[in-house]
Amino acid sequence: MYQYSEQDQRLIEERVEQYRDQTQRYLAGQIPEEEFRILRLQNGLYFQRHAPMLRVAINYGLMSSRQMRMLAKISRDYDKNYVHFTTRQNVQFNWPEMEKVPDILAELATVQMHAIQTSGSCIRSVTSDQFAGVVAGEIEDPRPWSEIIRQWAALHPEFAYLPRKFKIAVTGCEQDRAATQVHDIGVRLTKNDAGEVGFEVLVGGGLGRTPMIGKVIREFLPQQDLLSYLEAILRVYNLLGRRDNKYKARIKILVDSMGAEAFGAKVEAEWEQIRDTELKLTQAEIDRVKADFALPAYAADAASGSSYDEKLNSDQDFAVWIERNTFDHKVPGYRAVTLTLKGLLKAPGDVTDVQLDAIADLADQYNFGEVRSTHEQNLVFANINQADLYPLWQALVELDLARPVVGTINDMIVCPGLDFCSLANAETLSVSRQIQQKFDDLDYLYDLGEIKLKLSGCINACAHHHVGHIGILGVDKNGESYYQITLGGSSASDASLGKVLGKSIPRDDVASTLEKILSVFVEIREEGERFIDTVRRVGNKPFKERVYAAVN
Amino acid sequence: MPLLIDQKVVADDHWVRVDDTEQLAQLGNNPAILAWELFSQQRDELLAADGELAVAIPNDLDVVELEPLLERLSVIAVDFPSFADGRAFSQARLLRRAGFKGQIRASGDVTRDRLRFMHRCGIDAMEIAEDRFSPEMLGAFGEISVNNQGAEDDPRPIYRQ
Ligand code: SF4
């Protein structure tokens, strides 16, 4: 994992003091409300429905056990003993006091954490693949590149006041787990015909009110040109992006109105001016950052023990968990493990301080002291020796972090909605509980197979409902929460946007409506088809007919 | 209006702002920063005349239009119509890259918490509204001592420093 240089450390410490001063000047009445709003957002602090919310960056989802213990401590000392992991791999505190935030940030800085650019109209924290570095077939580990981008973006003097927020995702793998096609910029590691590793660059993807799939503007970007190319994109956007209407201010609208080709041509022209400047990455820098992501010292004999196979045969629950919640590792004898933060009837992504401390201990014991957060609001131990899987599973069961539901309809992504978020139009947490209760039969869940269910409490789409196999969007109808359902979305390499099924439904009907949809699926699916495949084959019609059939 | 130049408060500003022809007519030989529209209307006469020239540009102007004038201009004022509108950061950088050596002056909603970014983007003068000025605001330039990116103050990114 990346180790801060002395300058990295100084930067975040100075940023804490700068923010402390900004907070004090605001409290002293020297900064107008609207101006402080933007300053605090650039440092991750929202004013929510009940209290402020502080979003802390977990860059590309990578944390150390030490950092995790700090999150636990902060949740105890300043908050209500839990944290919430978000769909962009970050973590949120829901109840800090505004006056104490500088102290929280100072504590975070002692473990190389910060809240820089986790919100606001600036370049946000970079996201990536939770299985980076450990999956077979990866072109290259995307994390060093994510880190290089993070450093470039941090307090960039030119791009702190963009037309709108700006999100970058990086993937090193064909199977896109970073949703690069629905980001402002998607960076995908790729190889050219000469076998050199570089990047394919997409722009203009995004969700929210006007969902769009990103477009490739450069098929191959040499490695050392990464930052100059990003800088060229950002400069064009900063100058030309709309600022008159916040719903039209994202780069996707600019790319769409100019056309991807014309936008790309502008970027290329700007890039020509700067590609051979000091922005060019040096090999020494690339090597320095890469060295920090060297793989851990794997046990050479990990694949040789027999205890794992014995347990697989003797313990059915363990075998199910292995099948559902663990992932193939490129090193024989190792697996990557997902810790599900989808405890029954808890808010998806929530973890208590006790769990955090326990996870940190397990990470030290079994996973080289490392924890990762995922876009699906789970956590990952990426490097588990198979001999350790059984004791780890037992410990996770105790902690309620082993529900074997990864990839099922119960592994849903849910934003906080009306319970916490001041922008929300509808409740989300009560609906996710309703769904979990309806679909609590694991055999039925497994029979349904992979279904990505995503539930957002408003059009801002924090849960990415447009790219859920089933998407649910909360809307407000005369003060009541209603829900619009879309089918057929995906954020994987075959990205697509879901299509609306029909008119929105009342809250109490959500789970029963899903049940109807899924019963149609079970009836009409063909051999080996996942839900998304069936929807792609037959469209929304049969589902719509069942859901909106006249009651007689 | 308080003015900062090169991170210091300067007592008097010899430039006045001129937005229309009437003001221009009354100006005499005083040095003035001319609104871009006004300058464009009388461009040929103004360029032919002696004396220093300065313009104030809107933040949606493509600064390529200024390139033929850069040698001739002493001051270019860039505009922050709202503190949250960051277009002028890029304009300033492009002007410096095109070789402009004169003063780039931030005007509009210019307040403390953006001064360091302005400086880094090549803006060397800042007009501050009276009610937002305090001498302590000069501290803003030194709040963060680490520059990850190359910019106009130092072209070297952190990995070349
Ligand atoms: S989708 Fe809407 S309700 Fe949900 S977290 Fe985002 S802004 Fe809030």
Side-chain angles (χ1 to χ4, degrees), chain A residues 10 14 18 21-22 25 35 151-152 154 157-158 161 231 235 238 243 270 274 278-280, chain B residues 83 85-87 90 93 97 111-114 117 132 143-145 148-149 155-157 159-160:
Chain A
R10 183 143 46 89
E14 289 176 347
Q18 182 185 47
D21 181 58
Q22 289 170 343
R25 282 187 282 123
E35 212 174 296
Q151 295 186 20
W152 162 79
E158 185 179 348
Y161 293 89
E231 188 142 318
R235 186 164 295 137
N238 189 40
R243 293 176 188 258
E270 172 60 22
I274 56 176
E278 313 234 13
L279 259 177
K280 204 178 268 286
Chain B
F83 73 93
D85 185 337
R87 280 175 274 198
S90 289
R93 289 202 69 183
R97 188 170 84 201
T111 47
R112 168 177 174 145
D113 293 291
R114 280 143 300 279
F117 287 159
R132 297 300 303 278
E143 283 170 348
I144 308 279
S145 63
N148 279 357
Q149 318 73 13
R156 297 168 308 155
Y159 47 86
R160 291 182 189 269

Side-chain angles (χ1 to χ4, degrees), chain A residues 415-418 421-426 428 455-463:
Chain A
C415 83
L418 209 50
C421 175
S422 49
L423 302 171
N425 287 328
T428 53
L455 166 55
S456 304
C458 81
I459 192 71
N460 287 317
C462 295

